[in-house]
Amino acid sequence: MKKTIQKLTVYATLVFGIYHVEAQQTTVIEDFKPSSKNQPQQDYPMVNSQGYARFKIVSPAADSVRVSLGLGGKGGTKLAKAEDGTWMGTTEGPMDEGFHYYNVKIDGGKFSDPGAMNYYGSTRWESGIEIPAHDQDFYALKNVPHGHVQQVLFPSPSTGTSRRAFVYTPPGYTKNTDKKYSVLYLQHGWGEDETAWMNQGHANLIMDNLIAEGKIEPFIIVNTYGMTNEIKWGGMKDFRIEPFQTVLVDELIPYVDANFRTLATKDKRAMAGLSMGGMETKTITLNKPNVFSYYGLLSGGIYLPEEIKDKSQVKMIFLSSGSKEKPERILDAASKLKEAGFKVTTYVSDNTGHEFQTWRRSLKELAPLLFK
Amino acid sequence: MKKTIQKLTVYATLVFGIYHVEAQQTTVIEDFKPSSKNQPQQDYPMVNSQGYARFKIVSPAADSVRVSLGLGGKGGTKLAKAEDGTWMGTTEGPMDEGFHYYNVKIDGGKFSDPGAMNYYGSTRWESGIEIPAHDQDFYALKNVPHGHVQQVLFPSPSTGTSRRAFVYTPPGYTKNTDKKYSVLYLQHGWGEDETAWMNQGHANLIMDNLIAEGKIEPFIIVNTYGMTNEIKWGGMKDFRIEPFQTVLVDELIPYVDANFRTLATKDKRAMAGLSMGGMETKTITLNKPNVFSYYGLLSGGIYLPEEIKDKSQVKMIFLSSGSKEKPERILDAASKLKEAGFKVTTYVSDNTGHEFQTWRRSLKELAPLLFK
């Protein structure tokens, strides 16, 4: 197992390094296996040890089948009709490690791959595929004590309904009934929803593993839907933070504090978010300096020192990004914040972009820094 | 609102009654609305007040698009190309009230409808549609206290992994920390999984509403995956109960009793299941007479008096079925069981078949009978 992982790293480095120069000469190794995100009993899509993905779609009478995944700017991977009447194709190059959303175009219409599980992204349930990462062990399902992920429906007078949140309670929560826990409010990105961090992010498994290794003190994580006023692609200018801020601060936090054994003080409360969830985190932590002490922006922007009115309110700022997302921006912001006297930690995820592998790793780095 | 529901009932009765004679003359009322099971911001599929469903699929270059739903034996509903290049079609007649799985055939391949949410059935994630039922109020999301649905990963030495279960804890569970609760182990049907009862069955909302109305004492519900040895369609003869029985009785029940505030005695433990889950319930309750006191088979077979060795072990048997599934079978079995001195309750769901509306109603009828 260790050997396979080492091999994978070597190939990935090689292949990523040379791709643009000699893509045509790369030999595709025929060790394809079903993606770990497949539906039960489904062989396709498959992935190989180099990070190539291979797709197979049954649609015998179709004229054209195309998968949205593949190399940037080339419109994805065009499948070809195989001898058995199915449509098959392999990405032209290896993909980044980790999780990717995708869809399949059949004769011009956009569908999910019937072989893959579905994950909510881009305001729709998309197909998901997993390119095994060299560091996938930290979010693997292991034989360790597991926390619970609770779906709660909390009353939201401001939106006139009961809203859904997921609450991760760490292992031991059900038995140590005197213990109280700190809470991280953790937001998804644009077009995703409150299922993202547990489903594609494996936040619960990341926490279970960190706790089992004694690397963090157990805490609670809460995810809820942040696009409280629905916005479509391109409609970001219409987004207003107030509806979500009200739901989060005036409705969800009091519900969590009343129904879970939380340490219900500012010092024991953090907020973080990925991408658009980072933008929300920034806005809400600045608007409500008395609610959270730890701030995390995961591929989700920066704070400028002058934006934070009272330095003493902030215990720690975490800024992260994939190495393919211009990380200079967060590194530069961190310098300025440090100069101004803030405690800042940055993290840059190697060889990943604006995708969940960056955010899984970011959570793993962020968790040990919280609630100190 | 009340008027609409009355109208719906009248139409449904009329239309169901006369369908076979004069289907062609039925006037389709143009009051179509998006199905409540649609993905966010999706208008199609739609349903009207008579129970017709209308589909719209974007696949401009396809040659043939067909939806699996429609009238029995006719292969579903064939869509036709509309003026705007989309494919549209309406079921030839009204559908039964409640939830239906379906899929879309595009040029011979089977896909999910991109407009609808997905539900695990037939061993794959299928599309779901909801025909509003005259009695939908009992599983509606209301402004009442809501229980939590907890995803747990419990250790399963017998299968060498951590297995998933969902545990419904009723409203009040988090606050009344001295109170202990009875438990119903409730199984899905063939090709479904542990998500079925909460997602498409709305078991949590049924419970929340019954509790809010004071109709039942709160109890816990547990769902886990019952097809422990994977079987494909037509492979039922290969199904063996032992692997699942071990997971349920030797692994899950001890985990639930250790991690939740349960009344951990046979008298306060029930098992029920729908369809294949009924078969499992029957086999396991007979194999393990010391574990459960209340037995429920929902469209899932019958008990014969001679199959139950020790009558004193059984507190109550519940047998239910849709009116379209030959309910005489359960009524006949109930007579025999009653003659033999068992406490038996039967329930027949009006105008429904082997589908979730039958089982939602069955749970509503079963819940008040348990743990008396």
Side-chain angles (χ1 to χ4, degrees), chain B residues 84-147:
Chain B
D84 63 357
T86 65
W87 291 82
M88 291 192 65
T90 305
T91 52
E92 213 177 303
M95 317 263 306
D96 283 355
E97 296 188 340
F99 177 85
H100 307 279
Y101 296 107
Y102 72 102
N103 54 63
V104 185
K105 276 239 170 83
I106 319 275
D107 285 351
K110 197 192 278 187
F111 298 92
S112 293
D113 183 340
M117 302 246 269
N118 296 311
Y119 298 85
Y120 196 70
S122 303
T123 74
R124 62 188 296 274
W125 287 91
E126 296 246 275
S127 298
I129 192 171
E130 185 80 29
I131 306 296
H134 71 281
D135 57 347
Q136 62 185 345
D137 192 61
F138 80 85
Y139 49 90
L141 176 66
K142 297 184 192 175
N143 186 18
V144 299
H146 296 290

Side-chain angles (χ1 to χ4, degrees), chain A residues 209-283:
Chain A
N209 292 336
L210 286 171
I211 293 165
E213 291 166 20
K215 290 189 178 156
I216 61 168
E217 273 298 302
F219 59 83
I220 288 170
I221 294 181
V222 180
N223 309 132
T224 197
Y225 186 59
M227 293 168 63
T228 308
N229 49 334
E230 294 275 354
I231 46 166
K232 299 207 180 191
W233 180 246
M236 281 290 284
K237 65 177 178 357
D238 301 325
F239 183 75
R240 295 182 308 114
I241 197 68
E242 291 75 16
F244 174 55
Q245 182 174 290
T246 300
V247 167
L248 178 69
V249 175
D250 300 337
E251 297 172 345
L252 179 55
I253 292 179
Y255 182 88
V256 170
D257 285 338
N259 285 280
F260 294 86
R261 298 194 314 279
T262 62
L263 294 162
T265 61
K266 174 185 181 306
D267 279 2
K268 299 298 178 188
R269 205 178 286 126
M271 181 170 184
L274 71 89
S275 192
M276 179 176 167
M279 181 271 274
E280 294 173 335
T281 298
K282 175 177 173 175
T283 314

Side-chain angles (χ1 to χ4, degrees), chain A residues 39-41 58-59 61-62 106-107 109-110 114 118 120 124-125 146 148-151 162 174 230 255 259, chain B residues 39-41 58-59 61-62 106-107 109-110 114 118 120 124-125 146 148-151 162 174 230 232 255 259:
Chain A
Q39 293 195 25
Q41 305 177 13
V58 178
S59 192
I106 319 274
D107 286 350
K110 196 191 281 185
N118 297 312
Y120 196 70
R124 63 189 294 274
W125 288 92
H146 296 290
H148 295 172
V149 178
Q150 308 200 24
Q151 176 193 285
S162 297
T174 58
E230 294 275 354
Y255 182 88
N259 285 280
Chain B
Q39 294 196 26
Q41 306 176 14
V58 178
S59 192
I106 319 275
D107 285 351
K110 197 192 278 187
N118 296 311
Y120 196 70
R124 62 188 296 274
W125 287 91
H146 296 290
H148 295 172
V149 178
Q150 309 200 23
Q151 176 194 286
S162 297
T174 59
E230 294 277 353
K232 300 205 178 191
Y255 182 88
N259 285 280

Side-chain angles (χ1 to χ4, degrees), chain A residues 171-208:
Chain A
Y173 182 89
T174 58
K175 288 178 182 170
N176 310 326
T177 53
D178 290 332
K179 190 170 158 65
K180 296 189 172 189
Y181 297 82
S182 305
V183 186
L184 165 63
Y185 290 83
L186 184 61
Q187 289 302 121
H188 60 84
W190 179 88
E192 296 173 339
D193 69 9
E194 64 274 24
T195 61
W197 267 107
M198 301 298 164
N199 280 3
Q200 47 267 53
H202 299 312
N204 54 328
L205 300 179
I206 293 171
M207 292 291 289
D208 292 345

